[in-house]
Amino acid sequence: MGVTLAWLRHDLRLADNPLFRFERPPEQLLCVYVLDRDWLAPPPGLGLPRIGPARLRFLWQSLIALRGELLRRGSDLLVRVGDPVEVVAGLAERHGASEVRVRRDAGWDETQQTLRLGEALGEGVRLWQIDGGMLLDEASLPMPLASLPPGFSSFRRRVERDWAVPAACQAPVTLPPWPDGAPRGLPPLARVCDGAARWRPDARGAFSFAGGEEAGLARLEHYLASGAVARYKQTRNGLSGPDFSTRLSPWLAHGCLSARQVHDAVQAWEARHGANESSYWVIFELLWRDYFHWAARQEGAALFGPRRLPPEEAAFLAWREGRTGMPFIDAAMGELAATGWLSNRARQNVASYLVHELGGDWRLGAAWFEHALIDFDTASNWGNWRYIAGVGRSAQMHRFDVLWQAERYDPEGAYVARWQPELAELPGGRARQRPWTVAPERFAPPLAGTSGQGARAGARQGG
């Protein structure tokens, strides 16, 4: 083989990445990442770009780290901003690529881009697609993709009946050299988005995410070595602190880690310390992630509902900006805006509040999360929002009693006071969750009702 082009998307790692596994290595390898120009433009209705500064900064850190790993193995990385299909097809033509490799992503846009690329490639150029990053490949699912069950529980029972997750593959020691005369490197982040280059997380988040494969592996090692994994099921509904949850979701979303790497590491921990309910629950959450991925692949464009978003109304803007008057919601939305991350428990509650208390359009909420989250993942994000709204694979809506949730998971009001310092002046406990009842002259009642009929189970992301 002559030149192979590896088109990287949500798979920014070398270990357990099938794009870098060759039965017969090519003579030269061109590794390309294209930041879709459309991500930098606001979709109609939202007024903000699809990728916000927190995620873009993490992405650029991951690309810089990946380039370093590629250089150490004799290769390199080229990063461009533009239309991914035009850029990849143009590079393949200019440098005589005989093969273009790409991972099958769950996103509809990514799927359509791959189809367009197949049409744009010249004669004799092979488009090679493969699954990667998940626990299971499509070929190892216990049912055809078209027959994926409508609910996770049924999927899990069928998978766990007789399953074996393949071991993660090691990173290659060396890679084929860079094509002669091909461009390489990436532009400074400040040139792409000055706001992302200047963005820094608020220290109140008590955790700072750094992009890249090495950083992801270090976080995984810390979480297991600290023993936090043994308490995961008991602590996963926490709100503050570095280790109540795995916090692996940003590295998984960008493909700096694969699900199999996490699975292997948890199994190795269990071999040394013994399996328990909590260590199993980490794998359980990875299986949820797999399910959302396959569901998104099955549903295609239907995942998003009507793609044209409605206009932003006053209630949505108050929710987005943390001005609803409901401390638990406003604190969570403040944390999201300031750090790019939010606990699973908080995500469930803010989604429910927008949809079921404020009457907001779930698609606007999902689009805001797409902009704001460091760990945005198309399948998990949009699948979770549909789940809460009751418009997904199950017609049952999931409505949370936010005050009940707040008083259970933040009984002293420490979380709301952290993100809304004015509440710290009130006595701890119920007063901080219902400040309008103890200081009506200072705190107005929330915008909507305060007694939602709460479903107390919810969607999963942010583990």
Side-chain angles (χ1 to χ4, degrees):
M1 295 176 64
V3 176
T4 287
L5 189 155
W7 177 18
L8 297 155
R9 298 196 289 194
H10 305 295
D11 43 10
L12 305 182
R13 67 186 181 281
L14 289 181
D16 200 40
N17 190 337
L19 299 187
F20 297 117
R21 291 204 303 270
F22 302 98
E23 289 184 13
R24 181 182 171 192
E27 295 172 7
Q28 297 175 319
L29 178 64
L30 178 59
C31 306
V32 180
Y33 181 90
V34 185
L35 175 63
D36 193 332
R37 188 183 290 113
D38 286 348
W39 290 7
L40 301 172
L46 187 63
L48 289 165
R50 289 177 60 182
I51 185 168
R55 180 156 57 102
L56 187 52
R57 179 173 178 262
F58 186 94
L59 169 62
W60 232 249
Q61 291 172 340
S62 301
L63 291 168
I64 291 169
L66 177 60
R67 188 185 186 203
E69 293 300 321
L70 288 166
L71 285 167
R72 276 191 278 275
R73 289 161 175 81
S75 186
D76 207 336
L77 177 66
L78 172 64
V79 177
R80 289 280 177 84
V81 180
D83 180 299
V85 174
E86 292 179 3
V87 172
V88 172
L91 288 166
E93 181 180 6
R94 281 194 296 277
H95 300 287
S98 58
E99 179 182 75
V100 174
R101 294 182 156 215
V102 65
R103 171 184 180 255
R104 292 188 186 95
D105 280 332
W108 175 251
D109 292 340
E110 289 85 348
T111 300
Q112 295 306 298
Q113 287 174 353
T114 304
L115 291 172
R116 285 175 49 214
L117 179 62
E119 297 170 355
L121 291 175
E123 252 185 77
V125 182
R126 177 191 181 205
L127 180 59
W128 186 81
Q129 301 181 64
I130 194 167
D131 295 326
M134 315 306 293
L135 291 175
L136 302 173
D137 296 332
E138 184 175 352
S140 59
L141 290 175
M143 75 290 291
L145 187 57
S147 302
L148 192 76
F152 170 72
S153 295
S154 176
F155 171 77
R156 177 176 65 87
R157 285 193 296 270
R158 292 183 65 178
V159 167
E160 291 186 339
R161 194 175 300 157
D162 182 25
W163 75 322
V165 177
C169 298
Q170 297 297 313
V173 176
T174 62
L175 286 167
W178 196 250
D180 297 334
R184 57 177 77 198
L186 66 169
L189 180 55
R191 191 186 305 166
V192 177
C193 176
D194 185 59
R198 291 185 287 103
W199 188 87
R200 296 293 183 274
D202 192 306
R204 288 176 292 175
F207 192 89
S208 183
F209 294 100
E213 185 174 3
E214 184 177 356
L217 289 170
R219 171 59 191 175
L220 176 59
E221 181 180 358
H222 163 81
Y223 188 74
L224 296 174
S226 70
V229 64
R231 303 180 296 275
Y232 174 72
K233 193 169 189 295
Q234 292 72 44
T235 65
R236 66 191 178 89
N237 284 313
L239 300 168
S240 300
D243 290 337
F244 70 86
S245 118
T246 71
R247 292 194 185 247
L248 294 173
S249 53
W251 291 284
L252 287 165
H254 291 266
C256 303
L257 287 177
S258 76
R260 289 176 183 174
Q261 287 177 288
V262 179
H263 176 268
D264 288 357
V266 171
Q267 284 207 319
W269 182 89
E270 290 177 335
R272 292 193 300 271
H273 303 282
N276 66 15
E277 192 177 28
S278 286
S279 60
Y280 164 76
W281 213 259
V282 175
I283 307 304
F284 175 88
E285 299 289 0
L286 289 174
L287 194 56
W288 253 109
R289 178 175 177 267
D290 258 47
Y291 178 71
F292 275 124
H293 176 94
W294 300 116
R297 286 267 293 271
Q298 183 194 60
E299 294 181 19
L303 178 70
F304 305 96
R307 291 300 294 270
R308 188 171 185 86
L309 298 175
E312 298 172 318
E313 296 181 346
F316 169 76
L317 291 173
W319 173 84
R320 190 180 84 186
E321 296 165 8
R323 297 185 288 102
T324 70
M326 181 66 76
F328 195 42
I329 301 304
D330 294 345
M333 297 308 289
E335 181 184 12
L336 174 59
T339 69
W341 196 83
L342 204 55
S343 70
N344 177 56
R345 179 57 47 183
R347 294 183 201 212
Q348 294 170 348
N349 276 274
V350 298
S352 175
Y353 198 81
L354 173 67
V355 174
H356 300 303
E357 306 301 336
L358 298 181
D361 192 302
W362 68 273
R363 295 171 301 152
L364 281 175
W368 171 244
F369 270 30
E370 180 172 351
H371 167 85
L373 285 171
I374 288 178
D375 65 356
F376 169 75
D377 169 272
T378 299
S380 296
N381 181 67
W382 289 84
N384 278 328
W385 273 92
R386 293 178 71 205
Y387 179 92
I388 292 291
V391 296
R393 301 174 68 79
S394 167
Q396 178 187 1
M397 70 177 187
H398 295 82
R399 184 176 185 176
F400 289 76
D401 182 335
V402 171
L403 281 174
W404 184 91
Q405 295 267 320
E407 290 167 0
R408 175 175 181 179
Y409 295 107
D410 186 28
E412 295 304 314
Y415 174 73
V416 296
R418 175 186 293 248
W419 293 102
Q420 296 177 287
E422 63 274 16
L423 294 173
E425 302 169 14
L426 299 177
R430 192 178 179 90
R432 292 180 179 177
Q433 305 294 356
R434 306 170 187 248
W436 60 90
T437 65
V438 296
E441 72 285 354
R442 293 177 54 200
F443 301 96
L447 293 181
T450 61
S451 58
Q453 302 303 309
R456 287 166 188 155
R460 291 163 173 79
Q461 187 183 358

